[in-house]
Amino acid sequence: IENFEAGIKSRLAQDTLMLNLAAFKYKVEDAQYDRTYAITAPPFYAARLENAATTDGRGRELETSWLASDRFRLSFTGTYYHIRFDRFLSQNPINPALFGPAGSALPPEHLAGNSPRNTPDWTAELSATYEWPLTSGASLALTAAAAARDKQYYTEFNDEITGQDDYTLYDANLLYTAPGGKLTLNLWGKNLSDEMIVSGIYVTSTARTITGTYLPPRAYGATVGYNF
């Protein structure tokens, strides 16, 4: 891997504004990827690592936090990535032609221009926290957050069936801190819009099987903490 990166970390406006910026460019030679292939003898598939890809990537990253007042804070992180294969030849295990009479003679697919696994072009997260001091010496803090992610793929072949469209998740929590700061009670909700999001996919050549996992659905809970 050949990587170049430059950036800056800063504290501004009497330490109420944090601003971090970074930019990078890299190239990876001979990255390894696991693959399964159909074979004629039991168990009718074989797995191996391919050591064949060349990948170019560049990106920008931003992280900022603004303390607007003693009670209110805004935070934002964002990334832009452009990561693509320059050279990669492989066989797609869910290609039905592989299971035909001439499947073993099919030439490999050219994946140049495709995205590697789990590399959306952009991500962004915004959160806001407001705190209330109580007369008892306790405090309340309400936080709301939104996290967005661009379309991504879970295999190098960038098939629609093995990808996840862009999505946004919304979370919120209300944190109570008792006087003295030792006891806390946090009421939280995650994935409030109850999105069904594929978080990972694995393809096995046997019967062109696709297995996947999902992020948790809408969830609520309470967490009690004590600092000794």
Side-chain angles (χ1 to χ4, degrees), residues 115-153:
S115 301
R117 307 173 189 177
N118 305 303
T119 55
D121 284 352
W122 60 264
T123 65
E125 182 170 351
L126 176 67
S127 66
T129 299
Y130 191 86
E131 298 183 9
W132 293 272
L134 304 179
T135 55
S136 63
S139 66
L140 287 173
L142 176 64
T143 299
R149 186 176 290 261
D150 195 16
K151 185 180 182 69
Q152 60 185 322
Y153 297 98

Side-chain angles (χ1 to χ4, degrees), residues 92 94 114-115 151-166 198 201 203 210 214:
N92 190 341
I94 63 172
N114 283 13
S115 301
K151 185 180 182 69
Q152 60 185 322
Y153 297 98
Y154 297 114
T155 76
E156 296 72 45
F157 301 93
N158 290 189
D159 299 308
E160 291 300 316
I161 198 171
T162 59
Q164 169 61 54
D165 290 335
D166 59 288
V198 177
I201 282 178
V203 175
I210 300 172
Y214 289 85

Side-chain angles (χ1 to χ4, degrees), residues 42-91:
F44 304 110
Y45 77 95
R48 75 183 186 198
L49 285 176
E50 293 181 343
N51 191 31
T54 300
T55 310
D56 270 333
R58 62 181 186 271
R60 309 289 184 269
E61 298 176 346
L62 167 66
E63 179 184 11
T64 184
S65 178
W66 177 40
L67 186 61
S69 70
D70 291 340
R71 299 185 181 183
F72 184 58
R73 178 185 295 275
L74 278 173
S75 298
F76 176 80
T77 58
T79 63
Y80 169 74
Y81 297 147
H82 187 274
I83 303 173
R84 300 291 188 270
F85 291 116
D86 277 352
R87 176 179 54 83
F88 195 0
L89 300 175
S90 186
Q91 293 281 19

